[in-house]
Amino acid sequence: MTTTTSRAPKPATTRRRRPFNTRRAGAWALLALAIAVSVVPFLWVLRTALSTNGSLASQSASLLPADFTLGAFMRVFGLQSPADAVAEGGSGAAIDFWLYLRNSIIFSSITTAGAVFFSAMAAYAFARLRWKGRNAVFSLFLGTMLVPPIFTALPNFLLIKNLDLLNTMLGMVLPYVFMTPFAIFFLRQFFLNMSREVEEAAMLDGAKHLRIFFQIVLPNAAAPLATLALLTFIGQWNEYFWPLLVGSQDDVRVLQVGLGVFKSQSPQGAPDWSGLMAATLVSALPVLILFAAFGKKIVNSIGFSGIK
Amino acid sequence: MTTLTKHESSAKLRSGAPTPRGGLHRFGDLKIALFFIAPAMIGFILFYVVPTFRGIYLSFTEYNILGDPEWVGFDNYAAIAKDALFWNSLAVTGQYVLINIVLQTALALGLALLMDRVAKSTLVRGALLLPYLMSNVIAALLWFWMLDYQIGVVNQFIEWSGLPRVAFFGSEEWAIPTQALINTWRHMGYTALLIFAGLQAIPQHLYEVANLDGASPFQTFRKVTMPLLRPVLVLVLVVTVIGSFQVFDTVAVTTQGGPVNATRVIQYYIYQRAFTESDFGYGSAIAVILFLILALVAFIQMKFLRGNESDLD
């Protein structure tokens, strides 16, 4: 990573300083250090995942995998027999990876699709329609961002329990699927800045709001919608607390919760470090892939999303 | 924040101005607005408004899920006032928050300045953002491994440099700083990007003026950068403090409150009281207190640091 960053282009216009001085080199060194601190742990996780547990202790600081093996990954994917796992120094603890992966995908996709779509509808009403009390209602919605999630989690858990939806996917997605305050806020900003002219021309042609929303507003907001979907999906993929409360049984348990269970299954004496790190890496993979594909979009949205 | 207020005011102007063909809006759009807002409104009422009031109500009851909540007035709060574990959780959380604010803000400010001076590339920013995109659980597990007492790589290095190994998660004095360090690692790049965005918004000509006036780099930083950066810094502080007060995931995955009570942070304590001990009334009462603390923190920070305005407005 450090080699690539040193090639980072510098706009010619800001090149006021001398091409090289010690201060600048020092600045680069510090930045490189920060990048290393951010990235190297992931390489270390990969190195561990490719090692056998038995050899980790004896070669605890060599940079290369200790006794290279794909065993840990096979273990995570359920392709290794418990006997082989123990032979490689694993604890024999298993993780039902495919099931948790499926659950994570369902949970994150449904909540993202619902929250983005319904929030877009609401944002349209807040940005493009005029109605009495609009600003007051919007302030109320925004206000919910101040309520700490733990505070609503307790009563929400009771509600889901009263509805008999504990350990169902429906119970897990309900609190997120209708909207998130942040999504409404995020999209409203974009809708406010869209030109009204096309919309009004369409209206003169007799188009109704539904058509305007679907055929003009949504297509024109494709970029912010995609960014929001990306951010929401990553956030939901990483969600732990609510799925832990509501989805504690295998058939709805998501990866983040499964990872915690996998960790606590291994006895304190000899944890299956390779297996745990392989599982960690595979759980992070979807986000890593999204980041590789849409990194620029994500990075550039940070200045904005910080208002969250 | 500055860009936000700009958007907001231009938006107000726009929606306040009469549309060219005003007749279209004669009756307002209330009906159609209700249609568009209905799904979000259902979610808002069911999962934000009602639970807020129900949470407050529950805090005045004794409730173990099986029977009905039984009204006990301020009993829970009175008990909390005498609950050593609660005060301990508050102290432990405070320690965690403090380390986070200082470390995260200082590191992020430094990183943002470095990025601003030497590397604005997306690749650099992306690399720094990587930890933030990982879940708390993944960050926790990754460091749980790297900081392992026996064979963790960090302790190998510590030993090589001639120092005694550190029981990062196992010793009472290190447990909370370790949790805070993990959180700092995860958020450092993200916070730096927020500040970086703020730096980018500072008009370049101000620096040129300062330069012409013969200001030293330090003077420029103090007189130009800091005042104009203040709204962003306040935002960063609010986000950091409010986020840190709600630490749960890393604790739940690594130390589970231990050793002894060293990492029993407020949210973990609420979780234990409500879900492992089925004491929803008591858990809700602590949650109400946490809510009040957070509201107070946000209020104080906004009020005294005047977050919405920068000095040169």
Side-chain angles (χ1 to χ4, degrees), chain B residues 46-92:
Chain B
L46 270 186
F47 296 104
Y48 289 94
V49 179
V50 172
T52 298
F53 289 105
R54 195 171 177 195
I56 295 169
Y57 163 72
L58 283 174
S59 77
F60 293 105
T61 67
E62 203 179 306
Y63 184 36
N64 64 3
I65 310 198
L66 297 175
D68 286 325
E70 189 190 328
W71 184 266
V72 294
F74 281 92
D75 282 8
N76 286 326
Y77 292 95
I80 288 172
K82 284 181 283 184
D83 181 352
L85 275 179
F86 166 76
W87 291 107
N88 175 68
S89 76
L90 200 60
V92 167

Coordinates of all heavy atoms in Angstrom, one line a residue, chain B residues 46-92:
Chain B
L46 N -43.9 3.6 15.3 CA -43.8 2.3 15.9 C -42.4 2.0 16.6 O -42.3 1.4 17.7 CB -44.0 1.2 14.9 CG -45.4 0.7 14.7 CD1 -45.4 -0.5 13.7 CD2 -46.0 0.3 16.0
F47 N -41.3 2.5 15.9 CA -40.0 2.1 16.4 C -39.2 3.2 17.0 O -38.1 3.0 17.4 CB -39.3 1.4 15.3 CG -39.9 0.1 14.9 CD1 -40.7 0.0 13.7 CD2 -39.9 -1.0 15.8 CE1 -41.3 -1.2 13.4 CE2 -40.5 -2.2 15.4 CZ -41.2 -2.3 14.3
Y48 N -39.7 4.4 17.0 CA -39.0 5.6 17.6 C -39.9 6.3 18.7 O -39.4 6.4 19.8 CB -38.6 6.6 16.6 CG -37.4 6.1 15.7 CD1 -37.7 5.5 14.5 CD2 -36.1 6.2 16.1 CE1 -36.7 5.0 13.7 CE2 -35.1 5.7 15.3 CZ -35.3 5.1 14.1 OH -34.3 4.6 13.4
V49 N -41.1 6.7 18.3 CA -41.9 7.5 19.2 C -42.4 6.6 20.3 O -42.2 6.9 21.5 CB -43.0 8.2 18.4 CG1 -43.9 9.0 19.4 CG2 -42.5 9.1 17.3
V50 N -43.2 5.6 20.0 CA -43.8 4.7 21.0 C -42.7 4.1 21.9 O -42.9 4.2 23.2 CB -44.7 3.6 20.4 CG1 -45.1 2.7 21.4 CG2 -45.9 4.3 19.7
P51 N -41.6 3.6 21.4 CA -40.6 3.0 22.3 C -40.0 4.0 23.2 O -39.6 3.7 24.3 CB -39.6 2.4 21.4 CG -40.0 2.7 20.0 CD -41.4 3.2 20.0
T52 N -39.9 5.3 22.7 CA -39.3 6.3 23.6 C -40.2 6.5 24.9 O -39.7 6.5 26.0 CB -39.2 7.7 22.8 OG1 -38.3 7.5 21.7 CG2 -38.7 8.7 23.7
F53 N -41.5 6.6 24.6 CA -42.4 6.8 25.8 C -42.5 5.5 26.6 O -42.6 5.5 27.8 CB -43.8 7.3 25.3 CG -43.7 8.7 24.8 CD1 -43.8 9.0 23.5 CD2 -43.6 9.7 25.8 CE1 -43.7 10.3 23.1 CE2 -43.5 11.0 25.3 CZ -43.6 11.3 24.0
R54 N -42.5 4.4 25.9 CA -42.6 3.1 26.6 C -41.4 2.9 27.5 O -41.5 2.4 28.6 CB -42.8 2.0 25.6 CG -43.3 0.7 26.3 CD -43.6 -0.4 25.2 NE -44.0 -1.6 25.9 CZ -44.1 -2.8 25.3 NH1 -43.8 -2.8 24.0 NH2 -44.4 -3.9 25.9
G55 N -40.2 3.3 27.0 CA -39.0 3.1 27.7 C -39.0 4.0 29.0 O -38.6 3.5 30.1
I56 N -39.6 5.2 28.9 CA -39.7 6.1 30.1 C -40.6 5.4 31.1 O -40.3 5.3 32.2 CB -40.1 7.5 29.6 CG1 -39.0 8.1 28.8 CG2 -40.4 8.3 30.9 CD1 -39.4 9.4 28.1
Y57 N -41.8 5.0 30.5 CA -42.7 4.3 31.4 C -42.1 3.1 32.1 O -42.2 2.9 33.3 CB -44.0 3.9 30.6 CG -44.9 2.9 31.3 CD1 -45.6 3.3 32.4 CD2 -44.9 1.6 30.8 CE1 -46.4 2.3 33.0 CE2 -45.7 0.6 31.5 CZ -46.5 1.0 32.6 OH -47.2 0.1 33.2
L58 N -41.5 2.2 31.4 CA -40.9 1.0 31.9 C -39.9 1.3 33.0 O -39.7 0.6 34.0 CB -40.2 0.2 30.9 CG -41.1 -0.6 29.9 CD1 -40.3 -1.3 28.8 CD2 -41.9 -1.7 30.7
S59 N -39.2 2.5 32.9 CA -38.2 2.8 33.9 C -38.8 3.1 35.3 O -38.1 3.1 36.3 CB -37.4 4.0 33.5 OG -38.2 5.2 33.7
F60 N -40.2 3.3 35.3 CA -40.9 3.5 36.6 C -41.6 2.2 37.0 O -42.5 2.2 37.9 CB -41.9 4.6 36.5 CG -41.3 5.9 36.3 CD1 -41.3 6.6 35.1 CD2 -40.6 6.6 37.4 CE1 -40.7 7.8 34.9 CE2 -40.0 7.8 37.2 CZ -40.1 8.4 35.9
T61 N -41.2 1.1 36.4 CA -41.9 -0.2 36.8 C -40.9 -1.3 37.1 O -39.7 -1.1 36.9 CB -42.7 -0.7 35.6 OG1 -41.7 -1.1 34.5 CG2 -43.6 0.3 35.0
E62 N -41.4 -2.3 37.7 CA -40.7 -3.5 37.8 C -41.2 -4.5 36.8 O -42.4 -4.8 36.8 CB -40.8 -4.1 39.3 CG -39.6 -5.0 39.7 CD -39.8 -5.5 41.1 OE1 -40.0 -4.6 42.0 OE2 -39.7 -6.7 41.2
Y63 N -40.4 -5.1 36.0 CA -40.9 -5.8 34.9 C -39.9 -6.9 34.5 O -38.8 -6.6 34.1 CB -41.2 -4.9 33.7 CG -41.9 -5.6 32.5 CD1 -42.8 -6.6 32.7 CD2 -41.5 -5.2 31.2 CE1 -43.4 -7.2 31.6 CE2 -42.2 -5.8 30.1 CZ -43.1 -6.8 30.3 OH -43.7 -7.4 29.3
N64 N -40.4 -8.2 34.6 CA -39.4 -9.2 34.2 C -39.9 -10.0 33.0 O -39.6 -11.2 32.8 CB -39.2 -10.2 35.4 CG -40.5 -10.9 35.7 OD1 -41.6 -10.7 35.1 ND2 -40.5 -11.7 36.8
I65 N -40.7 -9.3 32.1 CA -41.2 -9.8 30.9 C -42.4 -10.8 31.1 O -43.3 -10.8 30.3 CB -40.2 -10.5 30.0 CG1 -39.0 -9.7 29.8 CG2 -40.8 -10.8 28.6 CD1 -38.1 -10.2 28.6
L66 N -42.3 -11.7 32.1 CA -43.4 -12.7 32.2 C -44.7 -12.1 32.6 O -45.7 -12.4 32.0 CB -42.9 -13.8 33.2 CG -41.6 -14.5 32.8 CD1 -41.1 -15.4 33.8 CD2 -41.9 -15.2 31.5
G67 N -44.8 -11.3 33.7 CA -46.0 -10.8 34.1 C -46.3 -9.5 33.4 O -45.9 -9.2 32.3
D68 N -47.0 -8.6 34.2 CA -47.2 -7.2 33.7 C -46.3 -6.3 34.4 O -45.9 -6.6 35.5 CB -48.7 -6.8 34.0 CG -49.7 -7.5 33.0 OD1 -49.3 -7.7 31.8 OD2 -50.8 -7.8 33.4
P69 N -45.9 -5.2 33.7 CA -45.1 -4.2 34.4 C -45.8 -3.7 35.7 O -47.0 -3.4 35.6 CB -44.9 -3.1 33.4 CG -45.3 -3.7 32.1 CD -46.3 -4.8 32.4
E70 N -45.1 -3.6 36.8 CA -45.7 -3.1 38.0 C -45.1 -1.8 38.4 O -43.9 -1.6 38.5 CB -45.4 -4.1 39.1 CG -46.2 -3.9 40.4 CD -45.6 -4.8 41.5 OE1 -45.2 -5.9 41.2 OE2 -45.6 -4.3 42.7
W71 N -46.0 -0.8 38.5 CA -45.6 0.6 38.8 C -44.9 0.7 40.1 O -45.4 0.3 41.1 CB -46.8 1.6 38.7 CG -46.4 3.0 38.9 CD1 -46.4 3.7 40.0 CD2 -46.0 3.9 37.8 NE1 -46.0 5.0 39.8 CE2 -45.7 5.1 38.4 CE3 -45.8 3.7 36.4 CZ2 -45.2 6.2 37.7 CZ3 -45.3 4.8 35.7 CH2 -45.1 6.1 36.3
V72 N -43.6 1.2 40.1 CA -42.9 1.3 41.4 C -42.4 2.8 41.6 O -41.6 3.0 42.5 CB -41.8 0.4 41.5 CG1 -42.2 -1.1 41.5 CG2 -40.8 0.6 40.4
G73 N -42.9 3.7 40.8 CA -42.5 5.1 41.0 C -41.0 5.2 40.8 O -40.4 4.7 39.8
F74 N -40.3 6.0 41.7 CA -38.9 6.2 41.5 C -38.0 5.2 42.1 O -36.8 5.4 42.3 CB -38.6 7.6 42.0 CG -39.0 8.7 41.1 CD1 -40.2 9.3 41.2 CD2 -38.1 9.2 40.1 CE1 -40.6 10.3 40.4 CE2 -38.5 10.2 39.3 CZ -39.8 10.8 39.4
D75 N -38.5 4.0 42.5 CA -37.7 3.0 43.1 C -36.5 2.6 42.4 O -35.4 2.5 42.9 CB -38.6 1.7 43.4 CG -39.5 1.9 44.6 OD1 -39.6 3.1 45.1 OD2 -40.2 0.9 45.0
N76 N -36.6 2.4 41.0 CA -35.5 2.0 40.2 C -34.4 3.1 40.3 O -33.2 2.8 40.5 CB -35.9 1.9 38.8 CG -36.6 0.6 38.6 OD1 -36.4 -0.4 39.2 ND2 -37.6 0.6 37.6
Y77 N -34.8 4.4 40.2 CA -33.8 5.4 40.2 C -33.1 5.5 41.6 O -31.9 5.8 41.7 CB -34.5 6.8 39.9 CG -34.9 6.8 38.4 CD1 -36.2 6.4 38.1 CD2 -34.0 7.1 37.4 CE1 -36.6 6.4 36.7 CE2 -34.4 7.1 36.1 CZ -35.7 6.8 35.8 OH -36.1 6.7 34.4
A78 N -33.9 5.3 42.6 CA -33.3 5.3 44.0 C -32.3 4.2 44.1 O -31.3 4.4 44.7 CB -34.5 5.2 45.0
A79 N -32.7 3.0 43.6 CA -31.8 1.9 43.7 C -30.5 2.2 42.9 O -29.4 1.8 43.3 CB -32.5 0.7 43.2
I80 N -30.7 2.8 41.7 CA -29.5 3.1 40.9 C -28.5 4.0 41.6 O -27.3 3.8 41.6 CB -29.9 3.7 39.5 CG1 -30.6 2.7 38.6 CG2 -28.8 4.4 38.8 CD1 -31.3 3.2 37.4
A81 N -29.1 5.0 42.3 CA -28.3 5.9 43.0 C -27.4 5.2 44.0 O -26.2 5.7 44.3 CB -29.1 7.0 43.7
K82 N -27.8 4.1 44.5 CA -27.0 3.4 45.5 C -26.3 2.2 44.9 O -25.7 1.4 45.7 CB -28.0 2.9 46.7 CG -28.4 4.0 47.6 CD -29.2 3.5 48.7 CE -30.7 3.3 48.2 NZ -31.6 2.9 49.3
D83 N -26.4 2.0 43.6 CA -25.8 0.9 43.0 C -24.4 1.1 42.6 O -24.0 1.8 41.7 CB -26.7 0.6 41.7 CG -26.2 -0.7 41.0 OD1 -25.2 -1.2 41.3 OD2 -26.9 -1.1 40.0
A84 N -23.5 0.4 43.3 CA -22.0 0.6 43.1 C -21.7 0.2 41.7 O -20.8 0.8 41.0 CB -21.2 -0.2 44.1
L85 N -22.3 -0.9 41.2 CA -22.0 -1.3 39.8 C -22.4 -0.3 38.8 O -21.7 -0.1 37.8 CB -22.8 -2.6 39.5 CG -22.1 -3.9 39.9 CD1 -23.0 -5.1 39.6 CD2 -20.7 -4.1 39.3
F86 N -23.5 0.4 39.0 CA -23.8 1.5 38.1 C -22.8 2.6 38.1 O -22.3 3.0 37.0 CB -25.2 2.1 38.4 CG -25.5 3.4 37.7 CD1 -25.8 3.4 36.4 CD2 -25.3 4.6 38.4 CE1 -26.0 4.6 35.7 CE2 -25.5 5.8 37.7 CZ -25.9 5.8 36.3
W87 N -22.4 3.0 39.3 CA -21.4 4.1 39.3 C -20.1 3.7 38.7 O -19.4 4.4 38.1 CB -21.2 4.6 40.8 CG -22.4 5.3 41.2 CD1 -23.4 4.9 42.1 CD2 -22.9 6.6 40.8 NE1 -24.4 5.8 42.3 CE2 -24.1 6.8 41.5 CE3 -22.4 7.5 39.9 CZ2 -24.8 8.0 41.3 CZ3 -23.2 8.7 39.7 CH2 -24.4 8.9 40.4
N88 N -19.8 2.4 38.9 CA -18.6 1.9 38.3 C -18.7 1.9 36.8 O -17.7 2.3 36.1 CB -18.3 0.4 38.8 CG -17.1 -0.2 38.1 OD1 -16.0 0.2 38.3 ND2 -17.4 -1.2 37.2
S89 N -19.8 1.5 36.3 CA -20.0 1.5 34.8 C -19.9 2.9 34.3 O -19.3 3.1 33.2 CB -21.4 0.9 34.4 OG -22.4 1.8 34.7
L90 N -20.4 3.9 35.0 CA -20.3 5.2 34.6 C -18.8 5.7 34.6 O -18.4 6.3 33.6 CB -21.1 6.1 35.6 CG -21.5 7.5 35.1 CD1 -22.4 7.4 33.8 CD2 -22.3 8.2 36.2
A91 N -18.1 5.3 35.6 CA -16.7 5.7 35.7 C -15.9 5.1 34.6 O -15.1 5.7 33.9 CB -16.1 5.3 37.0
V92 N -16.2 3.8 34.4 CA -15.4 3.0 33.3 C -15.8 3.6 31.9 O -14.9 3.8 31.1 CB -15.8 1.6 33.4 CG1 -15.4 0.8 32.2 CG2 -15.3 0.9 34.6

